[in-house]
Amino acid sequence: DGGITQSPKYLFRKEGQNVTLSCEQNLNHDAMYWYRQDPGQGLRLIYYSQIVNDFQKGDIAEGYSVSREKKESFPLTVTSAQKNPTAFYLCASTEQPGLAGREQFFGPGTRLTVL
Amino acid sequence: SQKIEQNSEALNIQEGKTATLTCNYTNYSPAYLQWYRQDPGRGPVFLLLIRENEKEKRKERLKVTFDTTLKQSLFHITASQPADSATYLCASSTDSWGKLQFGAGTQVVVTP
């Protein structure tokens, strides 16, 4: 089955720790995205990548880092510099996007809680 | 700044009625709007895309309209069913990177 997987589903972090969220897709999509979702708010873009070895900051990149060493993988690291990391994190991918629009395919999400 | 807004109040509707959700955008002209469905604790699922030169799009019991004069999209669920209960998100983009800006979503609750 083609799709996007995220792991783990739930993650608990102590203050001061870095944690890495996994995102893998087997859809052969070029672009991948990381969003953060907080209660009552829309999805906010953290980072995105159009191609391997290239990525761009989104609207709320501070305290996060990413890598794109393989087309199918786009891990997100939540660093200790992120002041309020408790949230629901969503990974998405799309075929080569353009102005005509491309739907984004989302993973099941990772819920991160800081203890 | 560019904004996309949805009615934050939950929409409670009786089974069989039509649910109508609103998405308004300001300070930009999106080339298209997308609608997604999100169930609790899960990732959004794409439903429909409507382009700026299209007035209306349909898919089964779903209908989307796009009014560039009013800067608004309406999303209709006809003959609603309890299984339609979810949060519905609208999203748009004006750049070629495919970056989407999402509204906060409107929760729909369909009661039997």
Side-chain angles (χ1 to χ4, degrees), chain A residues 33 37 48 50 102 104, chain B residues 34 36 38 51 97-99:
Chain A
Y33 309 83
Q37 187 173 35
Y48 61 101
Q50 293 284 82
R102 293 287 186 272
Q104 290 192 5
Chain B
Q34 299 184 8
Y36 290 78
Q38 186 176 24
R51 294 183 173 80
W97 289 97
K99 291 186 299 177

Side-chain angles (χ1 to χ4, degrees), chain A residues 36-44 90, chain B residues 3-10 21-24 28 34-38 44 86-92 101-108:
Chain A
R36 169 183 172 138
Q37 187 173 35
D38 294 281
Q41 293 192 41
L43 279 65
R44 292 184 290 167
L90 288 159
Chain B
K3 284 187 181 178
I4 185 164
E5 294 174 312
Q6 296 182 253
N7 190 350
S8 59
E9 262 188 54
L21 285 63
T22 304
C23 177
N24 296 298
Y28 71 118
Q34 299 184 8
W35 284 88
Y36 290 78
R37 169 184 172 138
Q38 186 176 24
T87 295
Y88 292 86
L89 310 172
C90 71
S92 70
Q101 186 172 5
F102 283 84
T106 299
Q107 183 185 12
V108 172

Side-chain angles (χ1 to χ4, degrees), chain A residues 9 33 35 37 40-43 45 48 50 54 56 88 90 97-104 106-108 111, chain B residues 31-32 34 36 38 41-46 49 51 89 93-105:
Chain A
K9 188 171 177 62
Y33 309 83
Y35 295 92
Q37 187 173 35
Q41 293 192 41
L43 279 65
L45 183 65
Y48 61 101
Q50 293 284 82
D54 186 50
Q56 307 293 329
F88 189 47
L90 288 159
L99 286 177
R102 293 287 186 272
E103 63 182 280
Q104 290 192 5
F106 284 84
R111 188 166 298 280
Chain B
Y32 58 85
Q34 299 184 8
Y36 290 78
Q38 186 176 24
R42 306 186 73 167
V45 175
F46 172 79
L49 178 150
R51 294 183 173 80
L89 310 172
S93 175
T94 57
D95 68 20
S96 59
W97 289 97
K99 291 186 299 177
L100 290 178
Q101 186 172 5
F102 283 84

Side-chain angles (χ1 to χ4, degrees), chain B:
Chain B
S1 62
Q2 298 174 355
K3 284 187 181 178
I4 185 164
E5 294 174 312
Q6 296 182 253
N7 190 350
S8 59
E9 262 188 54
L11 180 63
N12 291 283
I13 193 164
Q14 198 172 14
E15 183 175 7
K17 302 291 186 184
T18 296
T20 298
L21 285 63
T22 304
C23 177
N24 296 298
Y25 57 91
T26 54
N27 298 327
Y28 71 118
S29 298
Y32 58 85
L33 284 164
Q34 299 184 8
W35 284 88
Y36 290 78
R37 169 184 172 138
Q38 186 176 24
D39 291 289
R42 306 186 73 167
V45 175
F46 172 79
L47 295 174
L48 282 166
L49 178 150
I50 186 165
R51 294 183 173 80
E52 60 180 337
N53 60 350
E54 297 175 320
K55 296 295 183 189
E56 183 180 295
K57 204 79 169 280
R58 290 177 184 262
K59 178 183 176 182
E60 297 172 352
R61 293 183 296 107
L62 307 178
K63 184 178 87 170
V64 174
T65 62
F66 194 170
D67 189 325
T68 55
T69 302
L70 293 178
K71 292 184 177 292
Q72 181 180 83
S73 175
L74 297 180
F75 178 84
H76 306 271
I77 308 172
T78 60
S80 58
Q81 303 169 0
D84 295 326
S85 298
T87 295
Y88 292 86
L89 310 172
C90 71
S92 70
S93 175
T94 57
D95 68 20
S96 59
W97 289 97
K99 291 186 299 177
L100 290 178
Q101 186 172 5
F102 283 84
T106 299
Q107 183 185 12
V108 172
V109 179
V110 182
T111 51

Side-chain angles (χ1 to χ4, degrees), chain A residues 4-8 20-24 31-37 43-49 56-61 64-68 73-78 88-93 104 106-107 109-111, chain B residues 100:
Chain A
I4 301 182
T5 57
Q6 290 185 243
S7 62
T20 297
L21 283 58
S22 168
C23 177
E24 304 276 332
M32 296 186 75
Y33 309 83
W34 273 106
Y35 295 92
R36 169 183 172 138
Q37 187 173 35
L43 279 65
R44 292 184 290 167
L45 183 65
I46 305 172
Y47 267 98
Y48 61 101
S49 169
Q56 307 293 329
K57 291 182 179 180
D59 301 318
I60 55 166
Y64 300 98
S65 65
V66 293
S67 62
R68 187 89 186 273
S73 178
F74 192 40
L76 173 75
T77 296
V78 183
F88 189 47
Y89 289 86
L90 288 159
C91 179
S93 72
Q104 290 192 5
F106 284 84
T110 292
R111 188 166 298 280
Chain B
L100 290 178

